Amino acid sequence: MNKVVDWKLAVNAAKTLMPAGPKIVKKDAARIVEELRIAAGEGLREAERISKLTSTAPSQTLVVDRAGWAKAVSQNFEAMLPADVNVPALVPAVTGAELGAVLSVLGTRVLGQFDPFVGPRLLLNAPTITQIRGELNLNARDFYLWIATHEQTHRLQFEYAPWIPEVMKSTIAEAFGPLENEGSMNQLGERLKSMKSEVSELTSIMSVLEGHAMVVMNDVTTIGSIKTIRRRFEARGENRSALATLLGKLLGLDAKALQYKRGAKFVRHVVNEIGYEGFNQVFSSRELFPTGEELDHPERWLARTQ
């Protein structure tokens, strides 16, 4: 038995291929790290205030450089995927190199991520946050709080719906199940074709999670320059989470910006109708989460659940 991915190779490849980020003097770097830590705390309070969810579980905040980000995210992925799968000997090296290349690209784009599988912990990618803030000429305090609120909303989601990470892990485990018997990665694609309902459910879950976090972050009234941030950030392109990207790669999920906007549209409609307190029932059980059809027709979800 062996692992699907050579994780050490993946991390080393990411570190080799990924640029370090903007050059910052030591004094400024220490200040940015401290400001991001402060933003993480403020972001949790804003996420709680707006979403009407409250965190009671402990969580770490890691402000990391890009090499540290690649290592931490690979640990998250490793905890999510099956530990041992019977695959051909060359597969781990190939997938490790491929994942390393993916991480090297994501590390220059992804600003933060909440990791429910290891920790749990909040990851803030300091060099990429600094680089994008500079490129878009944004107010640092406002931008940091905007990002932190989004990621801390994910913290609340996973805390209130511990069944969601389990669905992610079980769906991936089921997809990789045939490899135990067949020993061929080609079986994965065939298996996914027979898992339409599972893949559809996971697509809906990721859409709602990202859409909810987008709606909450854009409702932070204490961010004075929020309209400027939204306009410039949207012009740059949507921030895709590393978790959503990996799931998209493994399971063929649509992790594009359109999918996030689809989720945000659903959340905004429901919140406008019954408030955040009413919306929060989606986290209480798997059965109350919207189906793919309800995601595009929130009035049907309201009719079913109210």
Side-chain angles (χ1 to χ4, degrees):
M1 301 290 285
N2 56 349
K3 296 181 179 180
V4 178
V5 179
D6 184 330
W7 297 104
K8 184 176 181 179
L9 175 61
V11 173
N12 289 337
K15 290 179 179 179
T16 300
L17 295 171
M18 186 165 41
K23 292 183 178 180
I24 304 173
V25 298
K26 187 175 182 179
K27 181 179 179 180
D28 288 341
R31 174 181 52 79
I32 291 170
V33 169
E34 180 60 22
E35 289 175 350
L36 286 170
R37 290 190 179 279
I38 292 172
E42 292 178 347
L44 177 59
R45 290 190 289 273
E46 288 290 352
E48 290 177 321
R49 179 181 66 82
I50 294 166
S51 72
K52 310 305 180 186
L53 300 171
T54 302
S55 176
T56 58
S59 172
Q60 294 177 292
T61 295
L62 300 182
V63 181
V64 295
D65 59 14
R66 285 176 174 170
W69 181 88
K71 181 179 180 179
V73 172
S74 70
Q75 291 171 343
N76 178 29
F77 291 168
E78 183 175 9
M80 186 173 58
L81 294 177
D84 294 298
V85 179
N86 186 24
V87 296
L90 291 178
V91 168
V94 173
T95 55
E98 185 177 27
L99 179 59
V102 172
L103 290 176
S104 72
V105 174
L106 290 178
T108 65
R109 299 178 183 177
V110 175
L111 306 176
Q113 175 170 314
F114 188 79
D115 176 3
F117 299 103
V118 178
R121 60 193 183 184
L122 169 64
L123 304 175
L124 294 174
N125 186 345
T128 301
I129 290 172
T130 301
Q131 181 174 328
I132 292 175
R133 186 204 66 77
E135 290 174 353
L136 301 182
N137 191 26
L138 299 173
N139 176 279
R141 184 265 175 191
D142 287 358
F143 188 48
Y144 298 165
L145 179 56
W146 193 64
I147 296 164
T149 301
H150 180 105
E151 300 305 335
Q152 294 287 31
T153 300
H154 288 316
R155 170 182 177 170
L156 298 174
Q157 293 165 349
F158 290 125
E159 186 172 337
Y160 272 78
W163 57 268
I164 290 179
E166 292 305 315
V167 169
M168 293 177 180
K169 292 183 71 171
S170 64
T171 301
I172 291 175
E174 186 174 353
F176 278 85
L179 301 182
E180 295 282 356
N181 299 318
E182 303 294 336
S184 171
M185 290 296 286
N186 291 332
Q187 297 297 318
L188 180 60
E190 294 301 317
R191 178 60 176 156
L192 289 175
K193 291 178 182 179
S194 68
M195 293 176 60
K196 291 182 180 180
S197 62
E198 291 88 346
V199 170
S200 176
E201 179 186 30
L202 199 49
T203 300
S204 295
I205 288 173
M206 297 304 298
S207 297
V208 172
L209 295 185
E210 290 296 336
H212 179 233
M214 288 173 65
V215 170
V216 171
M217 74 192 294
N218 287 326
D219 279 352
V220 181
T221 56
T222 58
I223 299 178
S225 61
I226 193 167
K227 290 183 179 179
T228 299
I229 293 174
R230 289 177 60 186
R231 182 177 68 253
R232 294 179 184 175
F233 200 75
E234 288 171 2
R236 169 186 172 270
E238 298 289 346
N239 178 38
R240 182 183 302 181
S241 76
L243 179 59
T245 301
L246 179 68
L247 289 174
K249 189 173 186 61
L250 288 175
L251 302 178
L253 306 180
D254 181 7
K256 297 179 181 178
L258 178 62
Q259 201 68 15
Y260 292 176
K261 290 179 179 178
R262 182 186 179 204
K265 185 177 180 180
F266 171 87
V267 174
R268 180 60 73 188
H269 181 97
V270 172
V271 168
N272 286 345
E273 290 291 323
I274 59 175
Y276 277 103
E277 296 93 337
F279 169 81
N280 289 341
Q281 66 183 300
V282 302
F283 301 120
S284 62
S285 74
R286 189 170 179 175
E287 292 70 29
L288 287 178
F289 222 78
T291 64
E293 182 181 5
E294 290 172 340
L295 197 59
D296 294 321
H297 300 280
E299 68 280 359
R300 298 180 186 177
W301 180 84
L302 287 166
R304 177 169 68 87
T305 60
Q306 299 305 299

